[in-house]
């Protein structure tokens, strides 16, 4: 090595001229490192300067140029008109509750004799509660899906660099619709989404059951009824609706004219892969296909990412995608290795709601409910009604049985349990089935893009999904999506099946036979559908897809990411261009051990074809086999 005076850089460190900005960056990196030999830079310092420079990989962030699309796409659910309509709905519900509360305070009760009015008091409150649940759940899911992209496109002003960190972007756990509230949402510092996610967990779960109990209907004479309002329950509902209205207003303010970095909705695997085509951050995901979710998050949490327009390479062509500011130097300082702990890691389902013990629990509970319904019908208790005294004894405790208590036990509690059941099981099964359908289309046999990477079921409404899935012959998705939609009717029926009638010495629980039979039919339908809700082996993966990184870690070294079909850098390119390119290529895709562009085998999915001297480019792995992770790592690294 040629001696250098302290503070100077070696002149022969590169075979090609190094741009001055890169040299200055290197000087900044080594500033403060002690000169151990007293004659010049240490070997560590020289190696930092001698990084290989590839000007074609240089990326410099720019704002959209004239003629290029603005990067502000938002799904309809997050656009201002829909959010304003949602605010109006919440405020109208609040106003109606306040009006009812005021009328009962001034009049004592509301008297009516119309059968239509009686029907409305039994069903409309729970219907409104169910609409609230569906609407808010959809808003929370869509906001979570878009939050990482909003952070990727966040302002790059000094002091706001944390917006682009991996823990807020590619590893942010905001994409899992069934994991509404975990500590990771707050750890990612997505305060708005964290608050909305918590509101889905609490208090949204109680809205429908509270709606079923806040009106107390008392018969008056032979053909009339008096309505009384439970003041504590009504006050709680008013607070909940105002809370939702305030959160929606905050959403409108936060999302107003805010860039998302997106040209269209990234609903499919292909949409997400297209954002990484030609990116300089793919090597960040090296080896993470074998890691756990927490390992992936720890590895990438402090890396920086940005979604938007860039000037790329020496010729400064405009490029769009997810990348990192760079002068073209290679990033050898990877935050992880392929050396992972040695333990068994079979293909498994990580949605706890869909594991075998949980499914058995719900099946037994449904069976118990069906038997109870049959017993009630056979013993004529349902037809005659249930008569309770003013006090009852439960497990040695005496309970005063008022009309409010009876309403809670026979209407509020069953409605709450049915809502928890439908959300915990059927909504989870629907969302998991939608997420895993793309991988089901890459199981065992390679299939075209229309059966896997182009599927976008996750963003569709339930009734739309059922129609699309039926047209594509994806019957499991069609059935589970329909069940998830019909499941919202169950709390409405359960809340209306019993009518509480107080007397002087007892309380009578009367049953609507038609509604009771409808609930019984639902229970039977749910019971026989349990095996369909339990995911088969072909839908199980080494790691459930929760984040952007989970998708890319399964294909970062594959030929798929380099496919020219994902080169969408022209001003006029749209999703339709990408889809047409993929259809015309007629490639097929398979999940397994694929031959990467680095010549090694990796776990994930890629284009399946014959490779001279290597056999198939993707080797399928039977999920019945238990995989030992260290052996898998050695096989992958050896290219076997």
């Amino acid at each position: 090595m040629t001696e250098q005076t302290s503070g100077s850089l070696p002149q022969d460190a590169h075979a090609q001229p190094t741009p001055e900005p890169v040299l200055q960056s290197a000087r900044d990196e080594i500033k403060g490192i002690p000169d151990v030999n007293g004659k010049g830079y240490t070997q560590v310092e020289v190696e930092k300067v001698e990084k290989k420079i590839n000007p074609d990989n240089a990326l410099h962030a720019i704002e959209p140029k004239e003629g290029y699309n603005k990067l502000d796409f938002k799904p309809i659910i997050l656009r201002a008109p829909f959010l304003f309509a949602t605010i109006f709905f919440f405020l109208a519900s609040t106003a109606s509750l306040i009006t009812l509360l005021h009328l009962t305070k001034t009049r004592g009760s509301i008297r009516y004799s119309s059968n239509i009015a009686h029907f409305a008091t039994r069903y409309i409150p729970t219907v409104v509660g169910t609409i609230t649940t569906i609407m808010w759940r959809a808003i929370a899911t869509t906001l979570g899906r878009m939050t990482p992209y909003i952070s990727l496109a966040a302002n790059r002003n000094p002091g706001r660099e944390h917006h682009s960190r991996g823990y807020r972007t590619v590893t942010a756990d905001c994409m899992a619709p069934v994991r509404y509230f975990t500590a990771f949402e707050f750890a990612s510092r997505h305060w708005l989404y964290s608050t909305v996610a918590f509101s889905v967990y609490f208090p949204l779960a109680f809205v429908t059951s509270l709606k079923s109990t806040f009106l107390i209907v008392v018969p008056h004479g032979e053909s009339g009824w008096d309505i009384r309002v439970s003041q504590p329950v009504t006050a709680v509902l008013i607070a909940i609706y105002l809370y939702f209205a305030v959160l929606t207003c905050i959403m409108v303010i936060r999302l107003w004219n805010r860039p998302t970095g997106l040209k269209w909705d990234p609903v499919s695997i292909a949409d997400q892969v297209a954002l990484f085509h030609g990116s300089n951050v793919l090597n960040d995901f090296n080896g993470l296909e074998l890691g756990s979710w927490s390992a992936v998050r720890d590895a990438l949490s402090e890396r920086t990412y940005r979604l938007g327009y860039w000037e790329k390479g020496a010729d400064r062509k405009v490029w769009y995608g997810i990348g990192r500011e760079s002068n073209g130097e290679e990033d050898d300082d990877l935050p992880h290795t392929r050396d992972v702990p040695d333990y068994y890691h079979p293909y498994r389902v990580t949605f706890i709601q869909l594991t075998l013990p949980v499914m058995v629990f719900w099946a037994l509970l449904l069976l118990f409910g069906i038997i109870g319904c049959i017993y009630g019908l056979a013993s004529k208790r349902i037809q005659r009604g249930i008569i309770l005294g003013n006090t009852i004894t439960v497990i040695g405790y005496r309970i005063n049985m008022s009309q409010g208590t009876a309403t809670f036990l026979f209407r509020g509690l069953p409605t709450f349990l049915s809502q928890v059941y439908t959300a915990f099981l059927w909504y989870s099964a629907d969302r998991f089935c939608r997420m895993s359908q793309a991988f089901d289309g890459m199981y065992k046999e390679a299939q075209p893009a229309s059966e896997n990477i182009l599927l976008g079921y996750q963003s569709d409404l339930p009734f739309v999904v059922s129609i699309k899935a039926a047209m594509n012959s994806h019957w499991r998705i069609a059935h589970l999506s329909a069940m998830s939609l019909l499941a919202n009717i169950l709390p409405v029926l359960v809340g209306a099946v019993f009518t509480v009638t107080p007397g002087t010495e007892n309380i009578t629980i009367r049953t609507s036979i038609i509604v009771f039979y409808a609930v019984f039919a639902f229970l039977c339908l749910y019971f026989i559908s349990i095996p369909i809700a339990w995911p088969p082996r072909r839908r199980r993966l080494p790691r459930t897809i929760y984040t952007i990184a989970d998708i890319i870690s399964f294909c970062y070294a594959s030929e798929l990411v380099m496919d020219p079909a994902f080169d969408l850098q022209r001003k006029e390119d749209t999703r339709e261009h990408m889809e047409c390119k993929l259809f015309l290529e007629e490639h097929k895709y398979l999940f397994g051990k694929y031959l990467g562009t680095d010549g090694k085998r990796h776990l994930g999915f890629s284009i399946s074809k014959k490779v001279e001297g290597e056999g198939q480019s993707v080797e399928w792995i039977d999920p019945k086999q238990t995989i030992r992770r260290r052996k898998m790592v050695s096989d992958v690294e050896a290219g076997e």
Side-chain angles (χ1 to χ4, degrees):
M1 182 189 304
T2 306
E3 279 192 7
Q4 305 290 330
T5 58
S6 181
S8 64
L9 295 172
Q11 300 301 314
D12 58 346
H14 301 286
Q16 59 180 350
T18 305
E20 179 59 29
V22 179
L23 292 176
Q24 185 58 49
S25 175
R27 294 188 187 103
D28 293 341
E29 285 187 41
I30 64 178
K31 188 180 295 183
I33 300 178
D35 181 4
V36 295
N37 57 20
K39 296 182 179 179
Y41 284 102
T42 65
Q43 182 63 30
V44 173
E45 296 167 349
V46 174
E47 288 176 356
K48 283 182 176 290
V49 182
E50 289 180 345
K51 286 181 177 179
K52 181 180 178 182
I53 304 299
N54 184 354
D56 291 335
N57 289 335
L59 282 181
H60 300 286
I62 60 172
E63 295 300 320
K65 293 186 176 182
E66 184 178 353
Y68 283 85
N69 294 328
K70 291 184 178 180
L71 304 179
D72 56 359
F73 172 85
K74 295 183 185 73
I76 292 176
I77 290 179
L78 295 185
R79 294 176 188 173
F82 185 89
L83 293 178
F84 280 128
T86 303
I87 294 171
F88 176 79
F89 173 78
F90 290 150
L91 293 180
S93 299
T94 303
S96 64
L97 290 169
I98 294 174
T99 301
L100 286 172
L101 190 61
H102 174 72
L103 289 175
T104 53
K105 278 187 176 182
T106 56
R107 299 182 184 180
S109 63
I110 302 173
R111 184 168 299 170
Y112 64 91
S113 58
S114 169
N115 288 327
I116 296 177
H118 183 57
F119 179 87
T121 58
R122 292 184 62 188
Y123 291 99
I124 286 182
T126 49
V127 168
V128 173
T130 300
I131 293 173
T132 303
T133 300
I134 295 173
M135 182 185 300
W136 195 247
R137 189 185 288 162
I139 290 174
T141 301
T142 307
L143 179 64
R145 206 164 46 80
M146 299 300 294
T147 293
Y149 298 101
I150 294 174
S151 285
L152 282 165
N155 197 321
R156 297 170 56 250
N157 290 337
R160 295 175 62 88
E161 293 83 358
H162 68 278
H163 282 278
S164 63
R165 299 289 182 186
Y167 68 87
R168 288 180 57 86
T169 55
V170 296
T171 66
D173 184 12
C174 301
M175 302 179 70
V178 294
R179 290 174 58 184
Y180 280 117
F181 177 66
T182 66
F184 296 114
E185 279 84 10
F186 284 110
S188 299
R189 299 182 186 177
H190 291 303
W191 307 119
L192 177 59
Y193 172 69
S194 301
T195 306
V196 172
F198 181 78
S199 70
V200 174
Y201 180 76
F202 175 86
L204 184 66
F206 300 95
V207 168
T208 303
S209 56
L210 290 173
K211 281 280 191 176
S212 69
T213 59
F214 90 101
L215 291 181
I216 301 174
V217 181
V218 180
H220 179 79
E222 296 183 358
S223 59
W225 296 269
D226 285 342
I227 298 178
R228 299 184 185 131
V229 176
S230 173
Q231 295 185 16
V233 174
T234 306
V236 171
L237 284 171
I238 290 172
I240 290 174
Y241 275 104
L242 286 176
Y243 178 63
F244 288 160
V246 170
L247 278 182
T248 310
C249 288
I250 295 174
M251 264 187 264
V252 171
I253 296 171
R254 292 281 292 171
L255 297 176
W256 192 269
N257 289 332
R258 186 163 186 174
T260 60
L262 296 170
K263 295 180 180 180
W264 59 76
D265 199 351
V267 297
S268 67
I269 291 177
D271 292 326
Q272 297 183 56
V273 169
L275 297 176
F276 286 87
H277 177 80
S279 174
N280 63 348
V281 300
L282 288 173
N283 207 34
D284 288 8
F285 303 92
N286 183 27
L288 293 182
E289 69 271 28
L290 298 168
S292 63
W293 182 87
S294 58
V296 174
R297 188 176 191 277
D298 292 342
L300 303 177
S301 60
E302 295 303 319
R303 312 288 281 185
T304 58
Y305 303 91
R306 176 184 177 272
L307 171 60
Y309 289 111
W310 307 78
E311 285 185 342
K312 183 176 183 180
D315 54 0
R316 295 186 173 275
K317 288 184 178 179
V318 176
W319 179 81
Y320 167 73
I322 296 175
R324 181 182 299 121
E325 188 83 24
S326 170
N327 289 311
E329 61 268 37
E330 284 188 355
D331 186 5
D332 296 323
D333 184 22
L334 291 178
H336 46 79
T337 67
R338 299 177 71 84
D339 185 18
V340 295
D342 187 18
Y343 62 89
Y344 288 94
H345 186 64
Y347 286 62
R348 65 174 184 261
V349 175
T350 52
F351 278 14
I352 191 173
Q353 299 94 320
L354 305 178
T355 54
L356 183 59
V358 176
M359 301 296 283
V360 170
F361 168 78
W362 288 117
L364 292 176
L365 196 63
L366 284 171
L367 184 61
F368 176 79
I370 292 171
I371 294 174
C373 290
I374 294 173
Y375 172 76
L377 290 171
S379 62
K380 304 297 183 181
R381 288 179 178 269
I382 298 300
Q383 295 88 331
R384 293 195 304 262
I386 303 172
I387 300 176
L388 302 174
N390 289 329
T391 60
I392 61 173
T393 302
V394 179
I395 319 177
Y397 293 93
R398 293 177 63 84
I399 300 176
N400 293 324
M401 187 57 63
S402 64
Q403 185 179 11
T405 303
T407 301
F408 169 77
L409 290 177
F410 286 89
R411 296 190 65 181
L413 186 60
T415 302
F416 173 74
L417 292 177
S418 65
Q419 189 172 21
V420 170
Y421 162 71
T422 55
F424 194 87
L425 178 57
W426 295 108
Y427 184 69
S428 300
D430 175 32
R431 303 308 301 196
F432 182 84
C433 190
R434 295 195 207 184
M435 180 273 294
S436 61
Q437 182 60 44
F439 295 92
D440 179 82
M442 293 185 282
Y443 177 85
K444 198 171 184 176
E445 295 181 0
Q447 297 192 60
S450 59
E451 291 296 318
N452 37 66
I453 64 172
L454 283 178
L455 293 178
Y457 288 128
Q458 295 196 61
S459 64
D460 291 325
L461 295 174
F463 64 90
V464 176
V465 171
S466 296
I467 296 172
K468 289 174 62 175
M471 293 175 63
N472 294 331
S473 298
H474 297 153
W475 303 114
R476 183 181 293 269
I477 285 187
H479 180 82
L480 291 179
S481 182
M483 291 295 294
S484 176
L485 181 63
L486 291 174
N488 295 300
I489 302 175
L490 182 62
V492 177
L493 297 175
V494 170
V497 70
F498 294 114
T499 302
V500 179
T501 304
T504 55
E505 298 182 357
N506 52 50
I507 293 176
T508 303
I509 312 298
R510 302 189 184 278
T511 307
S512 172
I513 297 299
I514 295 177
V515 178
F516 180 84
Y517 277 119
V519 171
F520 179 68
F522 265 93
L523 294 179
C524 294
L525 178 61
Y526 287 144
F527 182 75
I528 62 177
S529 297
I530 286 285
I532 301 175
W534 189 41
R537 289 185 182 274
R538 63 185 298 125
R539 291 181 179 272
R540 304 184 186 191
L541 296 171
R543 184 175 68 245
T544 302
I545 306 302
Y546 287 133
T547 67
I548 298 173
D550 289 328
I551 288 286
I552 303 304
S553 65
F554 284 132
C555 64
Y556 66 94
S558 73
E559 187 180 346
L560 170 67
V561 181
M562 306 302 175
D563 192 335
F566 297 111
D567 185 5
L568 305 171
Q569 303 307 326
R570 298 183 308 164
K571 298 178 183 179
E572 60 272 18
D573 280 335
T574 63
R575 173 190 279 151
E576 286 70 24
H577 288 91
M578 177 186 69
E579 292 176 349
C580 290
K581 290 180 182 180
L582 289 170
F583 283 129
L584 290 173
E585 286 181 338
E586 298 183 345
H587 288 319
K588 294 186 177 182
Y589 307 87
L590 182 66
F591 189 94
K593 286 165 54 176
Y594 68 85
L595 183 64
T597 54
D598 55 1
K600 298 178 180 179
R601 290 280 177 180
H602 301 264
L603 181 64
F605 55 90
S606 184
I607 299 171
S608 179
K609 62 182 182 181
K610 289 185 179 180
V611 180
E612 186 176 353
E614 295 287 347
Q616 289 293 330
S617 60
V618 186
E619 298 175 359
W620 178 66
I621 302 174
D622 189 346
K624 295 180 181 178
Q625 301 172 355
T626 299
I627 302 173
R628 195 173 188 186
R629 293 187 68 189
R630 187 172 294 279
K631 182 178 186 306
M632 182 67 190
V633 172
S634 62
D635 288 349
V636 168
E637 290 187 332
E640 296 179 2

